[in-house]
């Protein structure tokens, strides 16, 4: 057998790539379009919860993107209390494979990939489903994915007002300060949920609750808004879906089952079903179903996280790394 090598990109390598906002969005949208055109395979994510006392679990995501000729598996740990140890809440590894032979091609640090692709899916949802003139953003949560939600959303909408809130004052204040510096505009840290989201054109709920609790009130959502709830534990009221003109998800197969997710109760009570679902985002990105059709529509987008987005962004990073001579080659066999 001839020698086999795999490409390895660690966190420092990925930082050196300096992926632009446009590169991230283009890569992830390509994965969504492939999904919408039926050119992908998505296996429902599975979870490993080693011990409830650890306040965390692992997600295992698997997929295949035919236009990219790549299959992949990502394993990401999601631990609520990691901030107590000075660690990010999520650590991840992405493995990419030749889909025809099963031969491993690459290993990438997927911690920032997870953050980037999550933010990209949020932003691409807004691209297709939010009002074009949206100028006020309210964002709940300050964990890793929050930064890329806000950065990539602002790259598309150039907001006049950005509000953020999280449970710990030191977290939300530091988060707002970093965003203000990076975006070159004022970002306001609010002291409560209501002042953060009420009247906003785009509302993103990425909270870190230990158990479901209806913190986001339906009455705070203004008509015509675009709402993205994706916390692991639900923070929304059951009535939230009742005011929506359209309900959109990233992948219905993942959203309709499993233990976690912000709209789990809505699926279980039939509020979100195959009958009430408007579309998957990939179908909209591929032009097969309409996105927003008028400014009066109030639209909800729930994304659980797509392995396809990890694979598409990972493949784009590998291509850029090869062109720039970044990364390492490891002997596999």
């Amino acid at each position: 057998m001839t020698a086999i090598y795999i490409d390895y990109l660690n966190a420092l390598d990925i930082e050196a790539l300096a992926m632009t906002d446009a590169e991230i969005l283009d890569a992830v949208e390509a994965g969504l379009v492939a999904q919408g055109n039926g050119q992908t395979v998505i296996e429902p994510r599975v979870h490993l919860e080693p011990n409830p006392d650890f306040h965390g679990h692992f997600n295992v995501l698997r997929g295949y993107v035919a236009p990219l000729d790549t299959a992949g598996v990502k394993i990401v740990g999601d631990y609520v209390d990691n901030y107590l140890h000075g660690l990010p809440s999520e650590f991840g590894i992405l493995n990419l494979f030749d889909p025809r032979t099963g031969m491993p091609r690459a290993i990438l640090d997927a911690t920032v990939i997870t953050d980037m692709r999550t933010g990209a899916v949020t932003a691409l949802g807004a691209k297709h489903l939010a009002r074009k003139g949206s100028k006020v953003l309210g964002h709940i949560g300050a964990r890793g994915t929050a930064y890329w939600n806000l950065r990539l959303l602002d790259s598309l909408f150039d907001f006049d007002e950005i509000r953020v809130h999280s449970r710990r004052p030191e977290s939300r204040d530091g988060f707002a300060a970093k965003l203000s510096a990076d975006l070159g505009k004022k970002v306001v840290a609010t002291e409560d949920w209501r002042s953060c989201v009420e009247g906003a054109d785009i509302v993103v709920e990425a909270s870190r609750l230990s158990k479901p609790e209806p913190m986001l009130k339906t009455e705070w959502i203004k008509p015509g808004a675009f709402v993205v709830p994706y916390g692991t534990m639900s923070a929304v009221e059951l009535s939230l879906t009742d005011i929506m003109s359209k309900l959109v998800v990233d992948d219905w197969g993942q959203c309709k089952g499993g233990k976690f997710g912000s709209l789990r109760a809505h699926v279980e009570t039939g509020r979100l079903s195959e009958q009430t679902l408007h579309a998957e985002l990939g179908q909209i990105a591929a032009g097969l179903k309409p996105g927003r059709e008028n400014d009066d529509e109030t639209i909800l987008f729930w994304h659980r996280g797509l392995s396809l987005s990890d694979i598409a962004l990972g493949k784009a990073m590998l291509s850029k790394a090869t062109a720039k001579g970044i990364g390492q080659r490891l002997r596999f066999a």
Side-chain angles (χ1 to χ4, degrees):
M1 184 175 68
T2 58
I4 296 174
Y5 292 85
I6 58 177
D7 293 309
Y8 174 61
L9 297 181
N10 62 28
L12 301 177
D13 296 326
I14 290 175
E15 182 179 3
L17 289 177
M19 298 290 288
T20 67
D21 295 348
E23 286 173 333
I24 296 166
L25 290 168
D26 288 348
V28 173
E29 186 152 35
L32 290 171
V33 170
Q35 178 197 15
N37 287 328
Q39 298 172 303
T40 63
V41 176
I42 308 172
E43 291 291 333
R45 68 169 60 200
V46 294
H47 305 284
L48 170 63
E49 190 173 12
N51 187 319
D53 294 339
F54 299 161
H55 300 152
H57 65 279
F58 293 94
N59 301 308
V60 182
L61 294 81
R62 304 156 291 168
Y64 164 58
V65 184
L68 299 179
D69 191 34
T70 305
V73 178
K74 187 183 78 171
I75 302 173
V76 57
D78 188 353
Y79 282 74
V80 176
D81 295 336
N82 273 9
Y83 73 93
L84 297 173
H85 310 289
L87 298 172
S89 60
E90 296 177 324
F91 286 100
I93 293 288
L94 173 64
N95 300 279
L96 299 180
F97 302 89
D98 183 323
R100 290 172 174 75
T101 65
M103 185 175 70
R105 287 179 173 167
I107 299 172
L108 296 84
D109 175 277
T111 306
V112 72
I113 288 177
T114 299
D115 294 344
M116 287 177 173
R117 67 84 154 134
T118 302
V121 173
T122 298
L124 291 166
K127 172 185 172 181
H128 293 285
L129 300 169
R131 290 189 297 190
K132 299 304 180 188
S134 295
K135 286 301 177 184
V136 180
L137 170 63
H139 191 289
I140 300 293
R143 58 173 167 157
T145 57
Y147 176 85
W148 288 97
N149 282 336
L150 287 151
R151 174 170 160 173
L152 294 175
L153 279 167
D154 191 61
S155 75
L156 296 179
F157 290 89
D158 189 19
F159 296 106
D160 292 336
E161 183 179 351
I162 298 176
R163 315 167 191 158
V164 298
H165 174 77
S166 65
R167 179 170 52 88
R168 294 180 292 118
E170 66 273 19
S171 174
R172 62 179 181 252
D173 291 344
F175 184 53
K178 176 174 174 53
L179 280 165
S180 295
D182 289 358
L183 300 181
K185 62 178 62 177
K186 184 177 181 180
V187 176
V188 178
T190 71
E191 295 185 358
D192 56 68
W193 285 58
R194 182 171 187 169
S195 59
C196 181
V197 306
E198 190 170 35
D201 298 308
I202 296 176
V203 175
V204 181
E205 181 276 304
S207 60
R208 300 286 293 165
L209 302 181
S210 58
K211 61 182 180 180
E213 185 177 358
M215 301 287 290
L216 178 62
K217 305 300 181 184
T218 303
E219 65 185 33
W220 300 340
I221 304 301
K222 80 172 189 179
F226 173 59
V227 183
V228 187
Y230 74 85
T232 299
M233 297 294 177
S234 179
V236 304
E237 296 183 304
L238 279 174
S239 59
L240 181 64
T241 53
D242 298 341
I243 68 168
M244 296 298 163
S245 309
K246 288 186 173 85
L247 301 175
V248 178
V249 301
D250 57 352
D251 175 59
W252 177 238
Q254 291 190 116
C255 288
K256 68 182 179 181
K259 177 179 178 181
F260 301 109
S262 60
L263 296 191
R264 180 60 49 226
H266 299 75
V267 173
E268 293 171 353
T269 57
R271 287 172 171 82
L272 176 57
S273 66
E274 291 184 36
Q275 289 70 43
T276 64
L277 180 68
H278 169 66
E280 294 179 338
L281 182 59
Q283 295 173 312
I284 296 172
L288 303 177
K289 289 194 175 182
R292 175 175 287 271
E293 296 176 273
N294 61 70
D295 284 350
D296 295 330
E297 290 183 307
T298 308
I299 300 177
L300 181 145
F301 173 46
W302 178 30
H303 58 97
R304 295 283 289 125
L306 287 172
S307 59
L308 310 179
S309 301
D310 297 304
I311 294 166
L313 184 53
K315 184 71 182 292
M317 287 180 170
L318 281 175
S319 297
K320 188 171 184 178
T322 299
K324 293 175 109 12
I326 294 173
Q328 303 162 61
R329 294 275 285 169
L330 305 178
R331 179 75 183 260
F332 180 78

